[in-house]
Amino acid sequence: ANIDSKVLPRESVSRMIELEPVKRNELLLKCLYFGGFRESEVIQITPSSIFLLPDGRGKVTVIGKGKKIRMVHLPAC
């Protein structure tokens, strides 16, 4: 299967985020889509792993496959 069949169109994701009434779930959806996080990475995010930058963007430290630590930059939303 090619990658295009696995990626949701941006419009679909934007609509899903827009319609989510719970702020927590909206933020989780944004992390999954904009950060490219795996489910296992998202559930490990704690307040201490989130860094807000002055320009409104964010950086999140996550532990991925093989216990590798990576820093993910998120756009301002």
Side-chain angles (χ1 to χ4, degrees), residues 2-16:
N2 84 31
I3 190 74
D4 291 335
S5 67
K6 297 179 181 183
V7 178
L8 292 172
R10 185 177 178 95
E11 297 80 26
S12 297
V13 174
S14 293
R15 187 79 173 132
M16 189 181 343

Side-chain angles (χ1 to χ4, degrees), residues 14-65:
S14 293
R15 187 79 173 132
M16 189 181 343
I17 292 168
E18 189 179 293
L19 293 173
E20 176 52 56
V22 179
K23 189 65 173 175
R24 174 189 165 272
N25 295 344
E26 178 187 333
L27 292 171
L28 287 171
L29 288 169
K30 286 180 177 182
C31 283
L32 287 166
Y33 185 73
F34 295 113
F37 293 105
R38 294 175 181 89
E39 177 187 2
S40 60
E41 293 172 333
V42 169
I43 61 174
Q44 294 178 42
I45 294 174
T46 63
S48 64
S49 61
I50 301 169
F51 305 93
L52 297 177
L53 302 174
D55 63 2
R57 294 179 302 130
K59 289 195 301 185
V60 180
T61 303
V62 293
I63 301 172
K65 284 184 173 180

Side-chain angles (χ1 to χ4, degrees), residues 62-73:
V62 293
I63 301 172
K65 284 184 173 180
K67 304 278 186 206
K68 292 181 184 173
I69 297 174
R70 65 186 181 113
M71 193 70 114
V72 178
H73 294 261

